[in-house]
Amino acid sequence: MIPVTGFNGQTVAVLGLGRSGLSAARALREGGAQALCWDDNPAARAAAEAEGFETRDLSAQGGFDGVARLVVSPGIPHLYPAPNPVIAAAWEAGVPVDNDIGLFFRSFGSGAWEMFDQPPKVVAVTGSNGKSTTSALIHHILQSAGRGSQLAGNIGRGVLDIEPPEEGGVVVLELSSYQTDLARALTPDVAVFTNLSPDHLDRHGGLGGYFAAKRRLFAEGGPDRCVIGVDEAEGRYLANQLAEGAVDDRLIRVSAARKLSGPGWDVFARKGFLTEWRKGRQVASIDLRQVRGLPGAHNHQNACAAYAAARALGVAPRVIEAAFHSFEGLPHRSQIVADAGGVVYVNDSKATNVDAALKALQAFPRIRWICGGLMKEGGLEALAPGFDHVAKAYVIGREAAGFALGLAGVEAEVCTDMDTAVARAMADAEPGETVLLAPAAASFDQYDNFEQRGDDFAARVKARLAG
């Protein structure tokens, strides 16, 4: 645990008692503060009380009396589409609002570091798509290189649940826009921006607010090194703002769409090969085509970002290459769940938006595509560049019929439920094809989360193969 510093003897309120909220309450108590907890869910309040925490309805009159700070869990809106009433009450009471990420960065360093020859470092990864895979891949590379590494944030453990790092240790954080938007302290050593596509727009008042939340990690965080994906205009804008000139090697530009050139530090993937250029010359090259755990151009972008972050930490190219080949991927993100009869079964349930699903479609040559769910804003037209890879679509979800109508030019069968979709796709699949779950939609119409949806797909595939 990372004890929260700076609030010894003070009362700090915690709103939202899920994983990050309870973790923050424990870390506050460990640091000498009194954690005052609230959640609208009575079961969550009971769980906090069972650990000895006091609960108080913070929206009630006088709810913030004696409170020094409010710590908010990431799922709670603080501005758009409307401020949560408790957050609005904190504003009125003049109580500063923060989150567990802000507490982590203000408390991460310790007096023991004075004895370290190599102080610990933090690598923070943000972006729309690929940040989980990129974060996990950086962590895997560091472990393969013999570097002490912990993975936390939006993936793995809560940031305050990790162990205090030892000398030379690295903490790899995946940070969502919800987390970067509200944190009052952001001080990573290396910060990574993967890409940007429309998502969570209601929480940020539009695309500009969404990008601004991501940008805070760099503009306010002041990292020593920045790894920036430049395949979108926002990434190119961010890279331009951060660099003091063309040869500023505090910035590493990353692309999976084109060759990068110039006197700076670049990492790019073209035709399946990752290449590192620095000061106008090639430093290293890696063939990604046979890296089973990183299929497709979107994963090649993840590989480039992770490679660049590892290089910024001093890891050698050949060590990184070996780690690529031992990386098995993450559950629900281009995860191979079975390979039978010449047909590969891939679970990409995390592809909850159109951009992520398109990247999944473009990663495989001929696909039996299971898709559908709770549709997001913007329609499905942007998926069209991947349709020539689709032999047939098998549509699930309560809106399956409407979803199928949006797949112009694709043969689509309305299956509604996962069991029917898996059965039909497996019956039709031929050797050399891929049965791919890449929903391009949220899961909440039929499942609690995308993980449950992906687990259902994997279980039904394995059951039919076993039977």
PDB file of all heavy atoms in Angstrom, residues 1-3 19 23 27 30 104-105 107-108 113 120-122 139 149-153 155-166 169-173:
ATOM      1  N   MET A   1       0.835  -1.207   0.000  1.00  0.00           N
ATOM      2  CA  MET A   1       0.000   0.000   0.000  1.00  0.00           C
ATOM      3  C   MET A   1       0.870   1.258   0.000  1.00  0.00           C
ATOM      4  O   MET A   1       1.935   1.278   0.613  1.00  0.00           O
ATOM      5  CB  MET A   1      -0.922  -0.010   1.214  1.00  0.00           C
ATOM      6  CG  MET A   1      -1.811   1.219   1.335  1.00  0.00           C
ATOM      7  SD  MET A   1      -2.910   1.146   2.762  1.00  0.00           S
ATOM      8  CE  MET A   1      -4.011  -0.169   2.250  1.00  0.00           C
ATOM      9  N   ILE A   2       0.401   2.284  -0.706  1.00  0.00           N
ATOM     10  CA  ILE A   2       1.049   3.596  -0.690  1.00  0.00           C
ATOM     11  C   ILE A   2       0.278   4.484   0.287  1.00  0.00           C
ATOM     12  O   ILE A   2      -0.818   4.960  -0.025  1.00  0.00           O
ATOM     13  CB  ILE A   2       1.050   4.243  -2.088  1.00  0.00           C
ATOM     14  CG1 ILE A   2       1.698   3.323  -3.129  1.00  0.00           C
ATOM     15  CG2 ILE A   2       1.742   5.608  -2.053  1.00  0.00           C
ATOM     16  CD1 ILE A   2       3.170   3.093  -2.947  1.00  0.00           C
ATOM     17  N   PRO A   3       0.769   4.725   1.504  1.00  0.00           N
ATOM     18  CA  PRO A   3       0.041   5.582   2.440  1.00  0.00           C
ATOM     19  C   PRO A   3      -0.082   7.003   1.882  1.00  0.00           C
ATOM     20  O   PRO A   3       0.880   7.565   1.365  1.00  0.00           O
ATOM     21  CB  PRO A   3       0.916   5.551   3.699  1.00  0.00           C
ATOM     22  CG  PRO A   3       1.787   4.340   3.547  1.00  0.00           C
ATOM     23  CD  PRO A   3       2.010   4.184   2.089  1.00  0.00           C
ATOM     24  N   ARG A  19     -13.657  -0.353  -6.110  1.00  0.00           N
ATOM     25  CA  ARG A  19     -12.265  -0.754  -5.889  1.00  0.00           C
ATOM     26  C   ARG A  19     -11.384   0.434  -5.545  1.00  0.00           C
ATOM     27  O   ARG A  19     -10.653   0.422  -4.551  1.00  0.00           O
ATOM     28  CB  ARG A  19     -11.713  -1.440  -7.146  1.00  0.00           C
ATOM     29  CG  ARG A  19     -10.304  -1.975  -6.976  1.00  0.00           C
ATOM     30  CD  ARG A  19      -9.710  -2.458  -8.281  1.00  0.00           C
ATOM     31  NE  ARG A  19      -9.464  -1.365  -9.206  1.00  0.00           N
ATOM     32  CZ  ARG A  19      -8.705  -1.466 -10.293  1.00  0.00           C
ATOM     33  NH1 ARG A  19      -8.141  -2.609 -10.601  1.00  0.00           N
ATOM     34  NH2 ARG A  19      -8.526  -0.429 -11.087  1.00  0.00           N
ATOM     35  N   SER A  23      -9.910   1.502  -1.701  1.00  0.00           N
ATOM     36  CA  SER A  23      -8.446   1.536  -1.663  1.00  0.00           C
ATOM     37  C   SER A  23      -7.962   2.896  -1.170  1.00  0.00           C
ATOM     38  O   SER A  23      -7.038   2.977  -0.340  1.00  0.00           O
ATOM     39  CB  SER A  23      -7.883   1.243  -3.056  1.00  0.00           C
ATOM     40  OG  SER A  23      -6.497   1.433  -3.102  1.00  0.00           O
ATOM     41  N   ALA A  27      -5.776   3.743   2.221  1.00  0.00           N
ATOM     42  CA  ALA A  27      -4.490   4.436   2.136  1.00  0.00           C
ATOM     43  C   ALA A  27      -4.506   5.742   2.926  1.00  0.00           C
ATOM     44  O   ALA A  27      -3.488   6.145   3.500  1.00  0.00           O
ATOM     45  CB  ALA A  27      -4.142   4.703   0.669  1.00  0.00           C
ATOM     46  N   GLU A  30      -4.084   4.727   6.489  1.00  0.00           N
ATOM     47  CA  GLU A  30      -2.697   4.316   6.711  1.00  0.00           C
ATOM     48  C   GLU A  30      -1.787   5.528   6.871  1.00  0.00           C
ATOM     49  O   GLU A  30      -0.789   5.477   7.593  1.00  0.00           O
ATOM     50  CB  GLU A  30      -2.234   3.449   5.535  1.00  0.00           C
ATOM     51  CG  GLU A  30      -0.874   2.817   5.699  1.00  0.00           C
ATOM     52  CD  GLU A  30      -0.852   1.700   6.726  1.00  0.00           C
ATOM     53  OE1 GLU A  30      -1.944   1.203   7.105  1.00  0.00           O
ATOM     54  OE2 GLU A  30       0.256   1.317   7.163  1.00  0.00           O
ATOM     55  N   PHE A 104      -2.094   9.420  -5.275  1.00  0.00           N
ATOM     56  CA  PHE A 104      -0.927   8.580  -5.547  1.00  0.00           C
ATOM     57  C   PHE A 104       0.291   9.429  -5.880  1.00  0.00           C
ATOM     58  O   PHE A 104       1.370   9.253  -5.302  1.00  0.00           O
ATOM     59  CB  PHE A 104      -1.230   7.614  -6.697  1.00  0.00           C
ATOM     60  CG  PHE A 104      -0.015   6.922  -7.255  1.00  0.00           C
ATOM     61  CD1 PHE A 104       0.511   5.806  -6.632  1.00  0.00           C
ATOM     62  CD2 PHE A 104       0.615   7.408  -8.394  1.00  0.00           C
ATOM     63  CE1 PHE A 104       1.646   5.175  -7.128  1.00  0.00           C
ATOM     64  CE2 PHE A 104       1.741   6.791  -8.901  1.00  0.00           C
ATOM     65  CZ  PHE A 104       2.267   5.674  -8.264  1.00  0.00           C
ATOM     66  N   PHE A 105       0.150  10.355  -6.817  1.00  0.00           N
ATOM     67  CA  PHE A 105       1.313  11.127  -7.244  1.00  0.00           C
ATOM     68  C   PHE A 105       1.842  12.037  -6.129  1.00  0.00           C
ATOM     69  O   PHE A 105       3.053  12.259  -6.038  1.00  0.00           O
ATOM     70  CB  PHE A 105       0.982  11.939  -8.499  1.00  0.00           C
ATOM     71  CG  PHE A 105       1.106  11.157  -9.773  1.00  0.00           C
ATOM     72  CD1 PHE A 105      -0.009  10.821 -10.521  1.00  0.00           C
ATOM     73  CD2 PHE A 105       2.348  10.737 -10.229  1.00  0.00           C
ATOM     74  CE1 PHE A 105       0.105  10.101 -11.696  1.00  0.00           C
ATOM     75  CE2 PHE A 105       2.478  10.014 -11.403  1.00  0.00           C
ATOM     76  CZ  PHE A 105       1.355   9.687 -12.141  1.00  0.00           C
ATOM     77  N   SER A 107       1.855  11.242  -3.039  1.00  0.00           N
ATOM     78  CA  SER A 107       2.324  10.404  -1.939  1.00  0.00           C
ATOM     79  C   SER A 107       3.352   9.367  -2.365  1.00  0.00           C
ATOM     80  O   SER A 107       3.868   8.637  -1.512  1.00  0.00           O
ATOM     81  CB  SER A 107       1.132   9.671  -1.302  1.00  0.00           C
ATOM     82  OG  SER A 107       0.107  10.564  -0.946  1.00  0.00           O
ATOM     83  N   PHE A 108       3.670   9.283  -3.655  1.00  0.00           N
ATOM     84  CA  PHE A 108       4.471   8.175  -4.176  1.00  0.00           C
ATOM     85  C   PHE A 108       5.897   8.164  -3.635  1.00  0.00           C
ATOM     86  O   PHE A 108       6.427   7.135  -3.260  1.00  0.00           O
ATOM     87  CB  PHE A 108       4.483   8.248  -5.714  1.00  0.00           C
ATOM     88  CG  PHE A 108       5.278   7.158  -6.377  1.00  0.00           C
ATOM     89  CD1 PHE A 108       4.961   5.827  -6.182  1.00  0.00           C
ATOM     90  CD2 PHE A 108       6.330   7.472  -7.219  1.00  0.00           C
ATOM     91  CE1 PHE A 108       5.675   4.822  -6.797  1.00  0.00           C
ATOM     92  CE2 PHE A 108       7.056   6.469  -7.850  1.00  0.00           C
ATOM     93  CZ  PHE A 108       6.728   5.140  -7.636  1.00  0.00           C
ATOM     94  N   TRP A 113      13.864   6.927  -0.446  1.00  0.00           N
ATOM     95  CA  TRP A 113      14.452   7.141  -1.766  1.00  0.00           C
ATOM     96  C   TRP A 113      15.817   7.829  -1.679  1.00  0.00           C
ATOM     97  O   TRP A 113      16.616   7.724  -2.605  1.00  0.00           O
ATOM     98  CB  TRP A 113      13.508   7.972  -2.625  1.00  0.00           C
ATOM     99  CG  TRP A 113      12.293   7.232  -3.074  1.00  0.00           C
ATOM    100  CD1 TRP A 113      11.741   6.112  -2.517  1.00  0.00           C
ATOM    101  CD2 TRP A 113      11.463   7.564  -4.180  1.00  0.00           C
ATOM    102  NE1 TRP A 113      10.620   5.728  -3.187  1.00  0.00           N
ATOM    103  CE2 TRP A 113      10.416   6.612  -4.216  1.00  0.00           C
ATOM    104  CE3 TRP A 113      11.478   8.583  -5.117  1.00  0.00           C
ATOM    105  CZ2 TRP A 113       9.410   6.646  -5.187  1.00  0.00           C
ATOM    106  CZ3 TRP A 113      10.479   8.621  -6.083  1.00  0.00           C
ATOM    107  CH2 TRP A 113       9.461   7.660  -6.115  1.00  0.00           C
ATOM    108  N   PRO A 120      12.788   5.064  -8.060  1.00  0.00           N
ATOM    109  CA  PRO A 120      11.720   4.463  -8.866  1.00  0.00           C
ATOM    110  C   PRO A 120      11.143   5.455  -9.876  1.00  0.00           C
ATOM    111  O   PRO A 120      11.265   6.675  -9.702  1.00  0.00           O
ATOM    112  CB  PRO A 120      10.672   4.066  -7.816  1.00  0.00           C
ATOM    113  CG  PRO A 120      11.441   3.934  -6.551  1.00  0.00           C
ATOM    114  CD  PRO A 120      12.521   4.981  -6.624  1.00  0.00           C
ATOM    115  N   LYS A 121      10.533   4.914 -10.931  1.00  0.00           N
ATOM    116  CA  LYS A 121       9.932   5.743 -11.972  1.00  0.00           C
ATOM    117  C   LYS A 121       8.487   5.319 -12.215  1.00  0.00           C
ATOM    118  O   LYS A 121       8.085   4.188 -11.908  1.00  0.00           O
ATOM    119  CB  LYS A 121      10.725   5.620 -13.276  1.00  0.00           C
ATOM    120  CG  LYS A 121      12.133   6.211 -13.199  1.00  0.00           C
ATOM    121  CD  LYS A 121      12.837   6.137 -14.540  1.00  0.00           C
ATOM    122  CE  LYS A 121      14.246   6.704 -14.479  1.00  0.00           C
ATOM    123  NZ  LYS A 121      14.241   8.159 -14.170  1.00  0.00           N
ATOM    124  N   VAL A 122       7.734   6.255 -12.782  1.00  0.00           N
ATOM    125  CA  VAL A 122       6.339   5.994 -13.152  1.00  0.00           C
ATOM    126  C   VAL A 122       6.186   6.198 -14.653  1.00  0.00           C
ATOM    127  O   VAL A 122       6.576   7.239 -15.188  1.00  0.00           O
ATOM    128  CB  VAL A 122       5.363   6.925 -12.405  1.00  0.00           C
ATOM    129  CG1 VAL A 122       3.935   6.698 -12.890  1.00  0.00           C
ATOM    130  CG2 VAL A 122       5.455   6.701 -10.900  1.00  0.00           C
ATOM    131  N   HIS A 139       4.873  -3.419 -19.033  1.00  0.00           N
ATOM    132  CA  HIS A 139       5.103  -4.170 -17.799  1.00  0.00           C
ATOM    133  C   HIS A 139       5.795  -5.503 -18.094  1.00  0.00           C
ATOM    134  O   HIS A 139       6.764  -5.894 -17.424  1.00  0.00           O
ATOM    135  CB  HIS A 139       3.758  -4.394 -17.108  1.00  0.00           C
ATOM    136  CG  HIS A 139       3.777  -5.256 -15.901  1.00  0.00           C
ATOM    137  ND1 HIS A 139       4.508  -4.967 -14.776  1.00  0.00           N
ATOM    138  CD2 HIS A 139       3.143  -6.442 -15.642  1.00  0.00           C
ATOM    139  CE1 HIS A 139       4.322  -5.907 -13.864  1.00  0.00           C
ATOM    140  NE2 HIS A 139       3.513  -6.818 -14.372  1.00  0.00           N
ATOM    141  N   SER A 149       8.728  -4.295 -11.711  1.00  0.00           N
ATOM    142  CA  SER A 149       7.639  -3.534 -12.320  1.00  0.00           C
ATOM    143  C   SER A 149       6.315  -3.925 -11.687  1.00  0.00           C
ATOM    144  O   SER A 149       6.085  -5.091 -11.365  1.00  0.00           O
ATOM    145  CB  SER A 149       7.590  -3.802 -13.830  1.00  0.00           C
ATOM    146  OG  SER A 149       6.499  -3.129 -14.435  1.00  0.00           O
ATOM    147  N   GLN A 150       5.451  -2.924 -11.492  1.00  0.00           N
ATOM    148  CA  GLN A 150       4.089  -3.144 -11.017  1.00  0.00           C
ATOM    149  C   GLN A 150       3.124  -2.471 -11.982  1.00  0.00           C
ATOM    150  O   GLN A 150       3.399  -1.371 -12.490  1.00  0.00           O
ATOM    151  CB  GLN A 150       3.900  -2.562  -9.614  1.00  0.00           C
ATOM    152  CG  GLN A 150       4.804  -3.190  -8.560  1.00  0.00           C
ATOM    153  CD  GLN A 150       4.537  -2.635  -7.175  1.00  0.00           C
ATOM    154  OE1 GLN A 150       3.549  -2.966  -6.531  1.00  0.00           O
ATOM    155  NE2 GLN A 150       5.416  -1.765  -6.705  1.00  0.00           N
ATOM    156  N   LEU A 151       2.003  -3.136 -12.241  1.00  0.00           N
ATOM    157  CA  LEU A 151       0.991  -2.653 -13.182  1.00  0.00           C
ATOM    158  C   LEU A 151      -0.247  -2.251 -12.399  1.00  0.00           C
ATOM    159  O   LEU A 151      -0.761  -3.031 -11.593  1.00  0.00           O
ATOM    160  CB  LEU A 151       0.657  -3.754 -14.182  1.00  0.00           C
ATOM    161  CG  LEU A 151      -0.351  -3.452 -15.289  1.00  0.00           C
ATOM    162  CD1 LEU A 151       0.162  -2.344 -16.210  1.00  0.00           C
ATOM    163  CD2 LEU A 151      -0.649  -4.714 -16.094  1.00  0.00           C
ATOM    164  N   ALA A 152      -0.739  -1.032 -12.628  1.00  0.00           N
ATOM    165  CA  ALA A 152      -1.843  -0.540 -11.802  1.00  0.00           C
ATOM    166  C   ALA A 152      -2.645   0.512 -12.550  1.00  0.00           C
ATOM    167  O   ALA A 152      -2.373   0.827 -13.708  1.00  0.00           O
ATOM    168  CB  ALA A 152      -1.294   0.046 -10.496  1.00  0.00           C
ATOM    169  N   GLY A 153      -3.649   1.071 -11.866  1.00  0.00           N
ATOM    170  CA  GLY A 153      -4.485   2.122 -12.438  1.00  0.00           C
ATOM    171  C   GLY A 153      -5.775   1.560 -12.978  1.00  0.00           C
ATOM    172  O   GLY A 153      -6.514   0.861 -12.272  1.00  0.00           O
ATOM    173  N   ILE A 155      -6.018  -0.750 -14.966  1.00  0.00           N
ATOM    174  CA  ILE A 155      -5.771  -2.168 -15.218  1.00  0.00           C
ATOM    175  C   ILE A 155      -4.993  -2.707 -14.014  1.00  0.00           C
ATOM    176  O   ILE A 155      -4.239  -1.983 -13.376  1.00  0.00           O
ATOM    177  CB  ILE A 155      -4.970  -2.366 -16.523  1.00  0.00           C
ATOM    178  CG1 ILE A 155      -4.811  -3.851 -16.872  1.00  0.00           C
ATOM    179  CG2 ILE A 155      -3.619  -1.686 -16.451  1.00  0.00           C
ATOM    180  CD1 ILE A 155      -4.135  -4.084 -18.214  1.00  0.00           C
ATOM    181  N   GLY A 156      -5.174  -3.965 -13.716  1.00  0.00           N
ATOM    182  CA  GLY A 156      -4.429  -4.538 -12.594  1.00  0.00           C
ATOM    183  C   GLY A 156      -4.929  -4.013 -11.265  1.00  0.00           C
ATOM    184  O   GLY A 156      -6.129  -3.929 -11.018  1.00  0.00           O
ATOM    185  N   ARG A 157      -4.010  -3.597 -10.410  1.00  0.00           N
ATOM    186  CA  ARG A 157      -4.368  -3.174  -9.064  1.00  0.00           C
ATOM    187  C   ARG A 157      -4.692  -1.681  -9.012  1.00  0.00           C
ATOM    188  O   ARG A 157      -4.305  -0.915  -9.893  1.00  0.00           O
ATOM    189  CB  ARG A 157      -3.200  -3.462  -8.117  1.00  0.00           C
ATOM    190  CG  ARG A 157      -2.755  -4.908  -8.137  1.00  0.00           C
ATOM    191  CD  ARG A 157      -1.413  -5.109  -7.476  1.00  0.00           C
ATOM    192  NE  ARG A 157      -1.465  -4.935  -6.023  1.00  0.00           N
ATOM    193  CZ  ARG A 157      -0.406  -5.031  -5.230  1.00  0.00           C
ATOM    194  NH1 ARG A 157       0.785  -5.288  -5.736  1.00  0.00           N
ATOM    195  NH2 ARG A 157      -0.529  -4.862  -3.931  1.00  0.00           N
ATOM    196  N   GLY A 158      -5.413  -1.275  -7.953  1.00  0.00           N
ATOM    197  CA  GLY A 158      -5.607   0.145  -7.715  1.00  0.00           C
ATOM    198  C   GLY A 158      -4.271   0.810  -7.426  1.00  0.00           C
ATOM    199  O   GLY A 158      -3.368   0.187  -6.853  1.00  0.00           O
ATOM    200  N   VAL A 159      -4.106   2.075  -7.803  1.00  0.00           N
ATOM    201  CA  VAL A 159      -2.798   2.721  -7.700  1.00  0.00           C
ATOM    202  C   VAL A 159      -2.285   2.793  -6.260  1.00  0.00           C
ATOM    203  O   VAL A 159      -1.080   2.757  -6.024  1.00  0.00           O
ATOM    204  CB  VAL A 159      -2.820   4.143  -8.299  1.00  0.00           C
ATOM    205  CG1 VAL A 159      -3.008   4.098  -9.789  1.00  0.00           C
ATOM    206  CG2 VAL A 159      -3.900   5.008  -7.648  1.00  0.00           C
ATOM    207  N   LEU A 160      -3.188   2.883  -5.304  1.00  0.00           N
ATOM    208  CA  LEU A 160      -2.762   2.981  -3.907  1.00  0.00           C
ATOM    209  C   LEU A 160      -2.598   1.613  -3.254  1.00  0.00           C
ATOM    210  O   LEU A 160      -2.142   1.522  -2.114  1.00  0.00           O
ATOM    211  CB  LEU A 160      -3.749   3.837  -3.122  1.00  0.00           C
ATOM    212  CG  LEU A 160      -3.801   5.307  -3.557  1.00  0.00           C
ATOM    213  CD1 LEU A 160      -4.997   6.014  -2.934  1.00  0.00           C
ATOM    214  CD2 LEU A 160      -2.512   6.030  -3.214  1.00  0.00           C
ATOM    215  N   ASP A 161      -2.951   0.559  -3.979  1.00  0.00           N
ATOM    216  CA  ASP A 161      -2.812  -0.805  -3.461  1.00  0.00           C
ATOM    217  C   ASP A 161      -1.442  -1.409  -3.714  1.00  0.00           C
ATOM    218  O   ASP A 161      -1.122  -2.460  -3.164  1.00  0.00           O
ATOM    219  CB  ASP A 161      -3.859  -1.725  -4.100  1.00  0.00           C
ATOM    220  CG  ASP A 161      -5.210  -1.622  -3.419  1.00  0.00           C
ATOM    221  OD1 ASP A 161      -5.242  -1.217  -2.246  1.00  0.00           O
ATOM    222  OD2 ASP A 161      -6.220  -1.935  -4.069  1.00  0.00           O
ATOM    223  N   ILE A 162      -0.638  -0.788  -4.572  1.00  0.00           N
ATOM    224  CA  ILE A 162       0.647  -1.379  -4.922  1.00  0.00           C
ATOM    225  C   ILE A 162       1.621  -1.297  -3.749  1.00  0.00           C
ATOM    226  O   ILE A 162       1.408  -0.531  -2.800  1.00  0.00           O
ATOM    227  CB  ILE A 162       1.268  -0.707  -6.163  1.00  0.00           C
ATOM    228  CG1 ILE A 162       1.651   0.743  -5.864  1.00  0.00           C
ATOM    229  CG2 ILE A 162       0.325  -0.785  -7.350  1.00  0.00           C
ATOM    230  CD1 ILE A 162       2.461   1.398  -6.972  1.00  0.00           C
ATOM    231  N   GLU A 163       2.686  -2.065  -3.840  1.00  0.00           N
ATOM    232  CA  GLU A 163       3.720  -2.015  -2.820  1.00  0.00           C
ATOM    233  C   GLU A 163       4.654  -0.841  -3.067  1.00  0.00           C
ATOM    234  O   GLU A 163       4.908  -0.486  -4.233  1.00  0.00           O
ATOM    235  CB  GLU A 163       4.528  -3.317  -2.839  1.00  0.00           C
ATOM    236  CG  GLU A 163       3.701  -4.557  -2.556  1.00  0.00           C
ATOM    237  CD  GLU A 163       2.992  -4.488  -1.221  1.00  0.00           C
ATOM    238  OE1 GLU A 163       3.619  -4.012  -0.250  1.00  0.00           O
ATOM    239  OE2 GLU A 163       1.816  -4.895  -1.148  1.00  0.00           O
ATOM    240  N   PRO A 164       5.181  -0.206  -2.022  1.00  0.00           N
ATOM    241  CA  PRO A 164       6.193   0.831  -2.254  1.00  0.00           C
ATOM    242  C   PRO A 164       7.337   0.243  -3.078  1.00  0.00           C
ATOM    243  O   PRO A 164       7.875  -0.808  -2.733  1.00  0.00           O
ATOM    244  CB  PRO A 164       6.648   1.188  -0.835  1.00  0.00           C
ATOM    245  CG  PRO A 164       5.479   0.834   0.033  1.00  0.00           C
ATOM    246  CD  PRO A 164       4.868  -0.378  -0.591  1.00  0.00           C
ATOM    247  N   PRO A 165       7.697   0.878  -4.194  1.00  0.00           N
ATOM    248  CA  PRO A 165       8.695   0.284  -5.088  1.00  0.00           C
ATOM    249  C   PRO A 165      10.087   0.272  -4.484  1.00  0.00           C
ATOM    250  O   PRO A 165      10.446   1.134  -3.671  1.00  0.00           O
ATOM    251  CB  PRO A 165       8.636   1.186  -6.320  1.00  0.00           C
ATOM    252  CG  PRO A 165       8.138   2.488  -5.811  1.00  0.00           C
ATOM    253  CD  PRO A 165       7.194   2.156  -4.692  1.00  0.00           C
ATOM    254  N   GLU A 166      10.856  -0.719  -4.902  1.00  0.00           N
ATOM    255  CA  GLU A 166      12.242  -0.806  -4.476  1.00  0.00           C
ATOM    256  C   GLU A 166      13.128  -0.007  -5.419  1.00  0.00           C
ATOM    257  O   GLU A 166      12.650   0.553  -6.410  1.00  0.00           O
ATOM    258  CB  GLU A 166      12.668  -2.277  -4.428  1.00  0.00           C
ATOM    259  CG  GLU A 166      11.866  -3.102  -3.437  1.00  0.00           C
ATOM    260  CD  GLU A 166      12.281  -4.558  -3.424  1.00  0.00           C
ATOM    261  OE1 GLU A 166      13.101  -4.949  -4.289  1.00  0.00           O
ATOM    262  OE2 GLU A 166      11.787  -5.306  -2.563  1.00  0.00           O
ATOM    263  N   GLY A 169      12.803   0.406  -9.344  1.00  0.00           N
ATOM    264  CA  GLY A 169      11.516  -0.148  -9.734  1.00  0.00           C
ATOM    265  C   GLY A 169      10.725   0.799 -10.620  1.00  0.00           C
ATOM    266  O   GLY A 169      10.968   2.014 -10.644  1.00  0.00           O
ATOM    267  N   VAL A 170       9.766   0.227 -11.359  1.00  0.00           N
ATOM    268  CA  VAL A 170       8.922   1.014 -12.253  1.00  0.00           C
ATOM    269  C   VAL A 170       7.460   0.686 -11.966  1.00  0.00           C
ATOM    270  O   VAL A 170       7.101  -0.485 -11.800  1.00  0.00           O
ATOM    271  CB  VAL A 170       9.234   0.717 -13.735  1.00  0.00           C
ATOM    272  CG1 VAL A 170       8.342   1.557 -14.651  1.00  0.00           C
ATOM    273  CG2 VAL A 170      10.708   0.979 -14.047  1.00  0.00           C
ATOM    274  N   VAL A 171       6.630   1.702 -11.905  1.00  0.00           N
ATOM    275  CA  VAL A 171       5.184   1.534 -11.812  1.00  0.00           C
ATOM    276  C   VAL A 171       4.591   1.942 -13.152  1.00  0.00           C
ATOM    277  O   VAL A 171       4.813   3.064 -13.624  1.00  0.00           O
ATOM    278  CB  VAL A 171       4.580   2.384 -10.682  1.00  0.00           C
ATOM    279  CG1 VAL A 171       3.060   2.243 -10.666  1.00  0.00           C
ATOM    280  CG2 VAL A 171       5.166   1.983  -9.338  1.00  0.00           C
ATOM    281  N   VAL A 172       3.867   1.026 -13.792  1.00  0.00           N
ATOM    282  CA  VAL A 172       3.219   1.299 -15.072  1.00  0.00           C
ATOM    283  C   VAL A 172       1.735   1.512 -14.804  1.00  0.00           C
ATOM    284  O   VAL A 172       1.053   0.626 -14.281  1.00  0.00           O
ATOM    285  CB  VAL A 172       3.412   0.131 -16.063  1.00  0.00           C
ATOM    286  CG1 VAL A 172       2.773   0.470 -17.403  1.00  0.00           C
ATOM    287  CG2 VAL A 172       4.898  -0.178 -16.244  1.00  0.00           C
ATOM    288  N   LEU A 173       1.242   2.698 -15.144  1.00  0.00           N
ATOM    289  CA  LEU A 173      -0.154   3.052 -14.904  1.00  0.00           C
ATOM    290  C   LEU A 173      -0.915   3.208 -16.206  1.00  0.00           C
ATOM    291  O   LEU A 173      -0.476   3.927 -17.108  1.00  0.00           O
ATOM    292  CB  LEU A 173      -0.245   4.378 -14.144  1.00  0.00           C
ATOM    293  CG  LEU A 173       0.420   4.486 -12.774  1.00  0.00           C
ATOM    294  CD1 LEU A 173       0.184   5.876 -12.211  1.00  0.00           C
ATOM    295  CD2 LEU A 173      -0.117   3.422 -11.824  1.00  0.00           C
TER     296      LEU A 173
END
